[in-house]
Amino acid sequence: MDLLQTTNLTGGQKEELMEQVKQQIAVANAQELLTKMTEKCFKKCILKPGTSLDNSEQKCVAMCMDRYMDAFNLVSKAYSNRLQRERNRM
Protein backbone atom coordinates (compact mmCIF):
# COMPACT_ATOMS: atom_id res chain seq x y z
CA MET A 1 0.00 0.00 0.00
CA ASP A 2 1.51 3.32 -1.01
CA LEU A 3 1.05 6.77 0.50
CA LEU A 4 -1.61 7.79 -2.00
CA GLN A 5 -3.79 4.83 -1.10
CA THR A 6 -3.64 5.59 2.63
CA THR A 7 -5.28 8.99 2.11
CA ASN A 8 -8.50 7.23 1.08
CA LEU A 9 -8.70 5.22 4.31
CA THR A 10 -11.28 5.93 6.98
CA GLY A 11 -10.21 6.83 10.50
CA GLY A 12 -10.87 3.28 11.69
CA GLN A 13 -8.88 1.79 8.82
CA LYS A 14 -5.96 4.10 9.54
CA GLU A 15 -6.02 3.09 13.21
CA GLU A 16 -6.09 -0.59 12.25
CA LEU A 17 -3.18 -0.08 9.86
CA MET A 18 -1.19 1.74 12.55
CA GLU A 19 -1.88 -1.07 15.02
CA GLN A 20 -0.63 -3.63 12.50
CA VAL A 21 2.53 -1.60 11.92
CA LYS A 22 3.10 -1.32 15.69
CA GLN A 23 2.71 -5.08 16.06
CA GLN A 24 5.17 -5.74 13.24
CA ILE A 25 7.69 -3.37 14.82
CA ALA A 26 7.25 -5.07 18.21
CA VAL A 27 7.87 -8.50 16.63
CA ALA A 28 10.96 -7.20 14.82
CA ASN A 29 12.30 -5.67 18.06
CA ALA A 30 11.71 -8.92 19.96
CA GLN A 31 13.52 -10.90 17.26
CA GLU A 32 16.45 -8.49 17.34
CA LEU A 33 16.61 -8.67 21.14
CA LEU A 34 16.63 -12.47 21.07
CA THR A 35 19.29 -12.56 18.35
CA LYS A 36 21.61 -10.16 20.19
CA MET A 37 21.10 -11.90 23.52
CA THR A 38 21.83 -15.28 21.96
CA GLU A 39 25.00 -14.04 20.25
CA LYS A 40 26.37 -12.29 23.34
CA CYS A 41 25.60 -15.12 25.75
CA PHE A 42 26.95 -17.75 23.36
CA LYS A 43 30.23 -15.85 23.01
CA LYS A 44 30.48 -15.41 26.77
CA CYS A 45 29.49 -18.90 27.90
CA ILE A 46 30.30 -21.44 25.20
CA LEU A 47 34.05 -21.77 24.93
CA LYS A 48 34.17 -25.11 23.11
CA PRO A 49 30.98 -25.69 21.08
CA GLY A 50 29.87 -29.29 20.93
CA THR A 51 26.75 -31.39 20.61
CA SER A 52 25.46 -30.46 24.06
CA LEU A 53 25.97 -27.96 26.86
CA ASP A 54 27.58 -29.04 30.09
CA ASN A 55 26.13 -27.98 33.42
CA SER A 56 28.33 -24.90 33.84
CA GLU A 57 27.53 -23.70 30.32
CA GLN A 58 23.81 -24.12 30.95
CA LYS A 59 24.05 -22.09 34.16
CA CYS A 60 26.16 -19.43 32.47
CA VAL A 61 23.71 -19.07 29.57
CA ALA A 62 20.72 -18.89 31.93
CA MET A 63 22.38 -16.25 34.13
CA CYS A 64 23.60 -14.29 31.11
CA MET A 65 20.14 -14.23 29.59
CA ASP A 66 18.61 -13.18 32.91
CA ARG A 67 21.11 -10.33 33.29
CA TYR A 68 20.63 -9.27 29.67
CA MET A 69 16.85 -9.15 30.09
CA ASP A 70 17.17 -7.27 33.39
CA ALA A 71 19.42 -4.69 31.75
CA PHE A 72 17.12 -4.42 28.73
CA ASN A 73 14.08 -3.92 30.95
CA LEU A 74 15.88 -1.30 33.03
CA VAL A 75 16.95 0.66 29.96
CA SER A 76 13.48 0.33 28.39
CA LYS A 77 11.81 1.60 31.55
CA ALA A 78 14.21 4.56 31.81
CA TYR A 79 13.64 5.38 28.14
CA SER A 80 9.86 5.19 28.54
CA ASN A 81 10.02 7.45 31.61
CA ARG A 82 12.12 9.95 29.70
CA LEU A 83 9.70 9.94 26.77
CA GLN A 84 6.81 10.48 29.17
CA ARG A 85 8.57 13.43 30.81
CA GLU A 86 9.27 14.93 27.39
CA ARG A 87 5.61 14.55 26.37
CA ASN A 88 4.48 16.20 29.61
CA ARG A 89 6.72 19.21 28.93
CA MET A 90 5.03 19.90 25.60
Side-chain angles (χ1 to χ4, degrees):
M1 182 177 297
D2 63 26
L3 183 59
L4 295 176
Q5 291 175 326
T6 60
T7 59
N8 296 329
L9 296 176
T10 67
Q13 290 171 326
K14 287 180 182 178
E15 286 180 27
E16 184 179 335
L17 181 60
M18 285 301 293
E19 190 58 37
Q20 289 175 358
V21 170
K22 287 178 185 178
Q23 288 175 359
Q24 289 174 351
I25 290 170
V27 168
N29 286 339
Q31 288 172 333
E32 182 179 1
L33 171 65
L34 185 59
T35 298
K36 285 183 177 183
M37 183 172 51
T38 301
E39 288 173 358
K40 290 183 182 299
C41 292
F42 184 88
K43 278 184 181 179
K44 177 179 174 45
C45 298
I46 313 301
L47 303 176
K48 296 179 183 177
T51 57
S52 63
L53 299 177
D54 65 29
N55 202 25
S56 64
E57 290 172 329
Q58 289 177 16
K59 286 180 183 177
C60 180
V61 168
M63 290 177 63
C64 177
M65 292 176 81
D66 286 345
R67 284 192 309 268
Y68 197 93
M69 287 304 299
D70 288 345
F72 178 83
N73 289 332
L74 181 67
V75 170
S76 295
K77 185 175 181 179
Y79 181 68
S80 294
N81 289 340
R82 183 173 179 177
L83 285 177
Q84 188 64 39
R85 283 194 311 269
E86 293 294 323
R87 285 187 191 131
N88 291 339
R89 288 182 190 167
M90 293 181 173

